[in-house]
């Protein structure tokens, strides 16, 4: 990003002149991060994160198992030299061999299949070639039915009580305890991750196979439930302590990629949202949020305490300086309200010192006092965006509140929810209402709530609800019975993987699939294991944050009460303080952490000769400016926090009570536009409750909120008033929401407990008598006795019966 730096030089006449020169490098402490947010990282990175560095020796073992099987059935030819028919025949033989009862033989065959999924790398000379054969082999394996066989084997391993009880009794669990599970999960992950990648060179039959696999993965075909529900079951079993040997990182990665593949990523979410709005007759979205965020620029972070002291010293020195011939350029820079970064050291706004903020004004107020900017040649001119990035929005409720207050002020009475009658109101109010209505935004959720209220009010005349059986709906139905336990389990693992967590005796052990059987004996081995453990935890955080965000977004689009049900259980499980605890660290250190050894990453490590590792090379790490997965995790966690607190007064007050403002403000030091946007959103919702002194001391943050966050017309976020500063009753708000959620779930999913008074009654004599009733065998055998006892022997008073 282009920035301006100042240089002051003495002239021949004894005065001083300040030159402002453009520089591409920002503050060295807080560089701009060239990060592009996406559903996932690059394919190679996602593949490499599946394997811990401790698993490195197993690549050669997989190859050995494959070659032993291959030589028995095929001549001395290489795999890459065979034709398609021979490839298919060998894949079928391996699949048949998977069904043997001997565990060791089965594991060898599974390793051979894993080697195929890994691209038969011994016959490849480059990473590109490995990826080509991976894609070919995986589509072949899927086509012959390997995935279904793997799911059955995985179910067997999950229910393997002997392995579970053995792991529970062990004092220390290592890689060896989860060998069978890891091999199966590795193959399944490689298949899902590879097939979901779009490749323009794919054959037409591969595209068909891919779409069929997507449908099957999201349908209850495997064990009468979607694959994601089975993996959620593994997560809860692990957290309950009954299966401590489960390789949780691999389970979570497979769960994330299964959800991403079946439900779709952020681009698909946007297209579903557009389609649903069209179907409901709502106006199109004002902008594509993904594109807007990608085009935003980062702002300079608020000043730290040391910066403030330095600024005060500079200001004191500057008072003694001679005239600086830079006023006009400074005026231009000061005037522009949309300048994303102000790196002028001498003019830096003081964020935390009250005395220096008195003259700070909001950006739009500056135009009145500043002189016009001097013209610059086009080449030197820095271009700034015209206008605010987001179109403002207004809710129907906001228009009603505005009209109610206007009517009570000018007329003396109100008309409830009538937003059309403007009789008796002055002309400026007419203009205000017109502007508000122009920016009115009706969300899909609002219509879903209204529709649900109608179903609850008129259960008989409301008719049957048409529920679209999409992948999201099937997943919700699958996880509904145990959703609270799933959320608690995910948050438990997230807590254990967070860098701010202290090791406790009662916390769960998430390192079962990274610790070797024999602990390291040299400094180099210890350093390598330390990097591996930290990387392992980072990948777990990345997977859980992505799972939670994807589920929240898809459930919200499918039905608002599905989203609210999940969100409420996250809140009850202390998700809000957990995320704040996660951010209560040196976030720049976390984002720039170098917990990776690139030469050991798959597929690089299987096609290149590995250099000798030294302590210095491990300390140096890679040359990346930041760690993609850690920045991705931070943005996801901030988005989850936004989703949980949006429009929820009691949860917003939780942010205030947990003193989130200084924690979030520190996160603004990360110069990445998307992360800053979600931090500013969280600061905006609580600004009015932080007091005038905080707002006065943080005007730079307030200006950033004004420039980057969407405006809600009539929203008094920048100042408190009596109505919104009301006392908050967390329990009452959450109970009312919970009642609505329970009514929705019981109406739509709990058919067994439906009210018998609302069940339809058949009053037609012919149809009632015409129904076939299955009678038990003993009744049929004793039918004569029943007739004698219940019919013939009892006197019937026909007169009374006819009356």
């Amino acid at each position: 990003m282009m920035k301006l730096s100042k240089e002051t030089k003495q002239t021949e006449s004894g005065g001083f002149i300040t030159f402002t020169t453009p520089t591409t490098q920002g503050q060295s402490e807080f560089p701009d991060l060239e990060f592009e947010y996406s559903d996932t990282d690059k394919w190679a990175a996602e593949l490499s994160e599946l394997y811990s560095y401790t698993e490195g020796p197993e690549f050669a073992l997989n190859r050995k198992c494959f070659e032993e099987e291959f030589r028995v059935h095929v001549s001395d030819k290489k795999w890459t030299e065979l034709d398609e028919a021979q490839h298919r025949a060998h894949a079928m033989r391996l699949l048949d061999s998977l069904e043997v009862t001997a565990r060791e033989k089965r594991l060898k065959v599974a390793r051979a299949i894993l080697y195929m999924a890994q691209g038969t790398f011994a016959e490849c000379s480059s990473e590109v070639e490995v990826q080509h054969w991976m894609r070919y082999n995986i589509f072949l394996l899927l086509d012959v039915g390997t995935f279904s066989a793997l799911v059955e084997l995985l179910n067997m391993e999950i229910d393997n009580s002997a392995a579970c009880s053995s792991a529970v009794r062990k004092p220390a669990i290592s890689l060896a305890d989860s060998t069978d599970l890891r091999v199966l999960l590795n193959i399944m992950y490689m298949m899902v991750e590879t097939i979901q990648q779009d490749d323009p060179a794919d054959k037409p039959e591969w595209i068909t196979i891919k779409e069929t696999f997507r449908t099957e993965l999201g349908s209850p075909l495997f064990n009468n439930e979607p694959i994601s529900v089975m993996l959620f079951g593994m997560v809860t079993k692990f957290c309950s302590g009954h299966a401590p040997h489960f390789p949780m990182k691999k389970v979570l990665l497979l769960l994330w990629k299964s959800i991403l593949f079946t439900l779709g990523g952020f681009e698909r979410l946007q297209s579903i949202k557009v389609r649903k709005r069209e179907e409901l007759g709502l106006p199109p979205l004002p902008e594509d949020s993904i594109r807007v965020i990608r085009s935003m620029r980062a702002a300079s972070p608020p000043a730290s305490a040391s910066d403030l002291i330095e600024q005060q010293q500079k200001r004191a020195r500057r008072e003694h300086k001679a005239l600086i011939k830079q006023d006009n350029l400074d005026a231009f820079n000061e005037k522009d309200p949309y300048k994303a970064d102000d790196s002028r050291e001498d003019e830096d706004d003081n964020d935390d010192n009250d005395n220096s903020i008195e003259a700070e004004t909001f950006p739009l107020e500056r135009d009145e006092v500043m002189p016009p900017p001097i013209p610059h040649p086009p080449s030197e001119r820095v271009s700034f965006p015209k206008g605010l990035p987001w179109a403002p929005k207004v809710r129907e409720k906001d228009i009603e509140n505005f009209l109610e207050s206007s009517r009570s002020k000018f007329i003396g009475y109100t008309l409830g929810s009538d937003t059309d009658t403007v009789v008796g109101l002055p002309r400026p109010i007419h203009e205000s209402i017109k502007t508000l209505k122009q920016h009115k935004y009706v969300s899909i959720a609002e219509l879903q709530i209204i529709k649900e209220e109608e179903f609850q009010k008129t259960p008989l005349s409301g008719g049957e609800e048409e529920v679209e059986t999409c992948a999201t709906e099937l997943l919700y139905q699958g996880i509904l019975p145990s959703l609270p336990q799933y959320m608690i389990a995910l948050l438990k693992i997230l807590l254990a993987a967070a860098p701010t967590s202290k090791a406790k005796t009662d916390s769960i052990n998430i390192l079962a699939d990274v610790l070797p059987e024999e602990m390291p004996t040299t400094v180099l081995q210890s350093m390598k294991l330390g990097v591996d453990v930290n990387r392992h935890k980072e990948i777990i955080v990345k997977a859980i944050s992505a799972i939670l965000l994807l589920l929240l977004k898809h459930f919200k689009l499918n039905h608002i009460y599905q989203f609210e049900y999940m969100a409420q259980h996250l809140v009850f499980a202390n998700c809000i303080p957990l995320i704040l605890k996660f951010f209560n660290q040196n976030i720049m250190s976390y984002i720039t952490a170098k917990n990776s050894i690139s030469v050991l990453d798959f597929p690089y490590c299987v096609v290149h000769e590995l250099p000798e590792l030294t302590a210095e090379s491990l300390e140096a790490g890679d040359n990346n400016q930041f760690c993609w997965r850690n920045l991705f995790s931070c943005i996801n966690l901030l988005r989850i926090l936004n989703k949980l607190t949006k429009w929820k007064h009691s949860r917003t007050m939780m942010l205030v009570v947990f003193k989130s403002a200084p924690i979030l403000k520190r996160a603004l030091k990360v110069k990445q536009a998307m992360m800053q946007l979600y931090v500013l959103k969280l600061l905006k919702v609580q600004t009015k409750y932080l007091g005038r002194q905080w707002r006065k001391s943080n005007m730079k943050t307030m200006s950033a909120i004004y420039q980057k966050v969407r405006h809600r017309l009539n929203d008094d976020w920048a100042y408190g008033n009596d109505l919104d500063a009301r006392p908050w009753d967390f329990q009452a708000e959450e109970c009312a929401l919970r009642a609505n959620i329970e009514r929705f779930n019981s109406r739509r999913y709990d058919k067994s407990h439906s009210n018998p008074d609302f069940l339809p009654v058949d009053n037609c004599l012919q149809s009632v008598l015409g129904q076939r009733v299955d009678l038990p065998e003993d009744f049929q055998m004793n039918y004569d006795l029943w007739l004698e006892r219940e019919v013939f022997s009892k006197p019937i008073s026909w007169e009374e019966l006819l009356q």
Side-chain angles (χ1 to χ4, degrees), residues 779-796:
F779 180 82
Q780 292 178 23
M781 289 171 66
N782 300 304
Y783 183 57
D784 296 336
L785 288 172
W786 181 84
L787 276 174
E788 186 64 38
R789 189 178 69 241
E790 298 292 334
V791 181
F792 299 143
S793 65
K794 288 195 175 180
I796 298 170

Side-chain angles (χ1 to χ4, degrees), residues 456-708:
Q456 297 292 351
K457 284 178 187 173
T458 57
L460 294 173
S461 59
E464 278 292 317
E465 183 185 13
E466 291 181 14
V467 181
E468 185 186 355
T469 54
C470 57
T472 310
E473 184 63 35
L474 291 170
L475 179 59
Y476 183 76
Q477 289 174 14
I479 67 173
L480 176 60
S482 305
L483 188 138
Q485 292 91 310
Y486 296 154
M487 295 304 109
I488 290 167
L490 286 176
L491 293 183
K492 268 188 179 179
I493 299 169
L494 181 61
L495 177 63
T500 50
S501 295
K502 302 287 185 289
K504 294 180 183 175
T505 51
D506 60 339
S507 65
I508 50 178
N509 176 21
I510 55 169
L511 303 177
D513 52 334
V514 69
L515 296 177
E517 280 187 273
E518 296 177 5
M519 294 307 283
T521 52
T522 66
V523 175
L524 184 65
Q525 288 175 343
S526 299
M527 285 180 70
K528 182 183 163 188
L529 183 60
V531 170
D532 207 1
V533 166
N534 289 336
R535 173 177 177 266
H536 182 82
K537 288 182 175 180
E538 289 172 2
I539 294 165
I540 286 176
V541 172
K542 172 188 176 183
I544 292 177
S545 67
I547 289 166
L548 292 176
L549 182 61
L550 271 175
L551 288 178
L552 285 170
K553 287 188 78 66
H554 277 284
F555 286 158
K556 187 171 185 181
L557 207 49
N558 199 49
H559 199 288
I560 183 63
Y561 283 132
Q562 294 177 351
F563 161 81
E564 294 291 7
Y565 185 53
M566 179 180 165
Q568 192 167 63
H569 280 291
L570 284 173
V571 173
F572 290 164
N574 282 335
C575 184
I576 292 175
L578 171 55
I579 294 176
L580 292 175
K581 181 181 180 180
F582 180 90
F583 279 96
N584 194 19
Q585 59 170 313
N586 185 338
I587 209 71
M588 277 302 292
S589 297
Y590 184 71
I591 281 166
T592 55
K594 296 185 184 300
N595 291 314
S596 58
I597 308 167
S598 54
V599 293
L600 297 181
D601 284 341
F602 178 85
Y604 183 93
C605 64
V606 293
V607 290
H608 294 92
E609 283 292 324
L610 295 184
E612 187 178 346
L613 289 174
T614 62
E616 290 74 22
S617 65
L618 288 182
E619 277 181 4
D622 52 30
N623 296 321
N624 294 334
Q625 187 190 20
F626 57 88
C627 176
W628 195 96
R629 64 173 164 266
N630 289 357
L631 190 45
F632 177 76
S633 303
C634 289
I635 292 172
N636 286 345
L637 291 171
L638 288 168
R639 294 183 76 180
I640 291 164
L641 202 51
N642 267 290
K643 292 230 163 288
L644 297 182
T645 53
K646 191 175 182 182
W647 304 120
K648 302 287 189 300
H649 179 65
S650 58
R651 296 179 194 173
T652 302
M653 293 308 294
M654 283 175 75
L655 291 177
V656 180
V657 169
F658 290 127
K659 296 183 170 56
S660 65
I663 296 170
L664 293 169
K665 204 179 143 199
R666 280 201 300 275
L668 286 174
K669 289 182 178 179
V670 180
K671 294 192 70 179
Q672 202 283 322
M674 190 171 186
M675 182 164 167
Q676 286 185 346
L677 172 68
Y678 289 107
V679 171
L680 293 170
K681 279 186 171 187
L682 288 165
L683 286 169
K684 179 183 176 181
V685 294
Q686 55 178 314
T687 300
K688 67 177 86 167
Y689 310 114
L690 295 174
R692 184 172 178 273
Q693 191 60 46
W694 187 91
R695 295 193 291 272
K696 184 180 172 187
S697 304
N698 291 276
M699 287 308 289
K700 192 169 188 180
T701 306
M702 299 285 282
S703 296
I705 293 171
Y706 179 87
Q707 290 175 30
K708 294 183 181 299

Side-chain angles (χ1 to χ4, degrees), residues 276-347:
K276 283 206 167 193
R277 288 186 70 82
E278 281 179 12
E279 289 171 0
L280 293 167
L282 293 172
L285 293 164
E287 69 275 296
D288 184 341
S289 56
I290 297 170
R291 288 181 183 172
V292 172
I293 291 171
R294 281 179 182 165
S295 64
M296 290 177 82
R297 295 185 300 175
S300 58
S304 61
S306 57
D307 293 337
L308 299 176
I309 294 166
E310 194 178 338
Q311 287 162 19
Q312 286 176 353
Q313 291 170 351
K314 285 181 180 178
R315 284 194 179 93
R317 287 198 302 270
R318 195 173 60 226
E319 288 172 4
H320 302 292
K321 286 182 182 178
L323 179 66
I324 295 175
K325 302 174 182 176
Q326 191 60 37
D327 295 341
N328 286 336
L329 183 58
D330 283 351
F332 167 71
N333 285 332
E334 184 70 12
K335 181 190 174 188
D336 197 308
Y338 305 117
K339 190 173 190 319
D341 193 12
D342 193 0
S343 61
R344 293 167 297 133
E345 291 179 1
D346 296 335
E347 301 288 350

